[in-house]
Amino acid sequence: QVRVVESGGGLVTPGGSLRLSCAGSGIFWKLSTLAWYRQAPGKERELVATITIGDTTSYTDSVKGRFTISRDNGANTVYLQMNSLKSEDTAMYYCQTNPASGPWGQGTQVTVSS
């Protein structure tokens, strides 16, 4: 199983930036497509961004051009750089493999508000 610990969330004003980090463990972490997901209150968890072992990335339409996913296999870490944040980006953010291969972590809260 892949286990994860997310960090880097916080409160930011619209237009601001945050960088999320996720430390993973488990034999499959370095061999898997990694992903960031988010869940807003009252909504289902959605896939935000993915990165393959070859560093090919993909994004949900609502974050294209604003978010950047990257990975450092040496550090067992995946990142999500979030720029030009909007109120609709407010959510709990989670990382895992894609598809998920372990329990969800506690997540990191991102709140975008003036």
Side-chain angles (χ1 to χ4, degrees), residues 3-4 10 12 18 20 23 27 32 41 47 51 62 67 69 75-76 81 84 88 91 93-94 96 103 108 111-113:
R3 297 190 179 273
V4 298
V12 63
L18 285 173
L20 307 184
I27 191 170
S32 300
L47 180 63
I51 184 167
S62 62
F67 290 11
I69 188 171
N76 287 349
Q81 177 67 43
S84 302
E88 50 263 45
Y93 284 71
Y94 303 87
Q96 250 293 342
T108 187
T111 303
V112 185
S113 175

Side-chain angles (χ1 to χ4, degrees), residues 27-76:
I27 191 170
F28 296 113
W29 181 255
K30 295 181 180 181
L31 302 177
S32 300
T33 294
L34 305 179
W36 283 95
Y37 305 77
R38 67 185 179 187
Q39 187 168 20
K43 295 187 177 181
E44 294 187 353
R45 186 174 286 144
E46 67 167 335
L47 180 63
V48 175
T50 65
I51 184 167
T52 69
I53 58 175
D55 290 338
T56 298
T57 59
S58 66
Y59 302 89
T60 191
D61 285 347
S62 62
V63 308
K64 284 180 180 177
R66 301 188 298 120
F67 290 11
T68 302
I69 188 171
S70 61
R71 65 191 292 170
D72 181 346
N73 279 347
N76 287 349

